[in-house]
Amino acid sequence: YSRTSQASATEPVFHYWGGVDISENPYASDELRALAGDTVYFTKLYGEFGPRATTFTRQFFAISAGLEGEFSNGWYWDLYFKTGGTDQQQINRGQAHSDRWTQSRDVIADPVTGEPICRDQSNGCVPFNVFGPVSQAAVDWVGIDQQEQKKSRQMVLSGSVSGDIVELPAGPVGAAFGFEYRKDKLDYNPDASYANGDNIFGSLRTPFKAEDSVKEVYGELLVPIFKDAPMMKSLELELAARYADY
């Protein structure tokens, strides 16, 4: 069993040089509108979100067992079993929900109070001051944490028998027969924000499950042809065959 963890962080959520309509935005001053017009272009880090931090955890385990023995006729046998897998979890904090990011930054003045409000007030939209400072309420409404989990499993079962079949003048004919069964599973589960592509910096990620299995059998023969012959220490014929079903 082993467990590893990693953590990293980068700059907070930012606006990079995209145009923002300020024609009706009460956060924009008259002086700014007179200078820049209805649209401004700027780059800004929003430290109120904190760093975009990622934590990664990976756990691995493996269990194996084997048995071996000898039959009364001199043949040997063995059995082997192994199971194991990994569990991975990644959490990304300090991200921004793409739809809410757009909705909360489209701000107008309330016709009654003159206070900043979202043009589209659905889902409890909180107005976002693109020029800063950003209110904690806006950070809470726009910000998201994302999580994805990956799980893999493998199981292996194998066995074999080996021994001598018949005695020839050059020695015994040896044989070995065996089988192996192997099954692999993979399960990937991103949360709803990943599955819906909600992160302004992220891509769409689709959950999936997959598995496959392999069944194999094999046989081997070792046939002595000559032994201690003139000009030849020994000559043996090796034969092998394997069948696999995926």
Side-chain angles (χ1 to χ4, degrees):
Y1 173 83
S2 67
R3 185 179 188 275
T4 57
S5 297
Q6 294 177 324
S8 62
T10 186
E11 73 275 351
V13 169
F14 60 89
H15 176 87
Y16 181 72
W17 200 242
V20 175
D21 183 358
I22 61 171
S23 60
E24 300 178 78
N25 193 322
Y27 290 124
S29 65
D30 292 336
E31 291 80 7
L32 178 60
R33 271 190 285 267
L35 178 65
D38 291 342
T39 304
V40 294
Y41 296 83
F42 63 95
T43 297
K44 181 175 175 57
L45 295 174
Y46 294 106
E48 294 88 350
F49 283 83
R52 286 180 291 148
T54 298
T55 56
F56 174 83
T57 303
R58 180 179 185 269
Q59 298 182 84
F60 168 79
F61 76 94
I63 301 171
S64 60
L67 293 172
E68 60 181 23
E70 182 180 2
F71 294 110
S72 58
N73 62 359
W75 278 56
Y76 296 94
W77 61 269
D78 69 79
L79 286 172
Y80 174 76
F81 173 79
K82 183 183 78 170
T83 184
T86 60
D87 291 286
Q88 298 179 190
Q89 181 186 68
Q90 182 169 309
I91 301 175
N92 296 320
R93 296 182 172 87
Q95 308 296 319
H97 189 288
S98 56
D99 290 342
R100 293 189 174 193
W101 173 262
T102 301
Q103 183 181 351
S104 68
R105 287 151 53 92
D106 184 13
V107 182
I108 60 174
D110 187 299
V112 177
T113 66
E115 292 296 316
I117 60 171
C118 300
R119 187 187 303 272
D120 175 3
Q121 299 181 51
S122 62
N123 300 315
C125 180
V126 178
F128 188 108
N129 183 356
V130 296
F131 306 107
V134 182
S135 70
Q136 186 61 48
V139 170
D140 292 342
W141 194 74
V142 173
I144 57 172
D145 294 339
Q146 296 185 290
Q147 179 175 297
E148 58 181 337
Q149 294 180 323
K150 300 175 185 177
K151 179 184 293 186
S152 65
R153 294 290 184 269
Q154 184 182 72
M155 187 272 286
V156 178
L157 177 64
S158 64
S160 67
V161 294
S162 61
D164 296 334
I165 298 178
V166 65
E167 187 75 25
L168 297 180
V173 176
F177 305 96
F179 73 93
E180 180 173 297
Y181 174 75
R182 185 170 66 253
K183 188 171 186 177
D184 295 283
K185 293 182 177 181
L186 181 62
D187 189 358
Y188 173 61
N189 285 302
D191 66 13
S193 65
Y194 271 130
N196 296 327
D198 289 336
N199 188 342
I200 62 173
F201 300 110
S203 58
L204 184 68
R205 303 185 185 184
T206 304
F208 68 87
K209 292 184 178 181
E211 65 176 62
D212 66 8
S213 61
V214 183
K215 306 178 187 70
E216 293 183 282
V217 293
Y218 67 88
E220 299 175 358
L221 288 176
L222 180 62
V223 182
I225 306 298
F226 297 109
K227 183 178 181 181
D228 298 325
M231 306 298 291
M232 185 179 297
K233 179 67 175 178
S234 65
L235 177 64
E236 298 175 331
L237 174 64
E238 293 186 19
L239 302 172
R242 179 178 291 266
Y243 172 78
D245 179 20
Y246 289 82

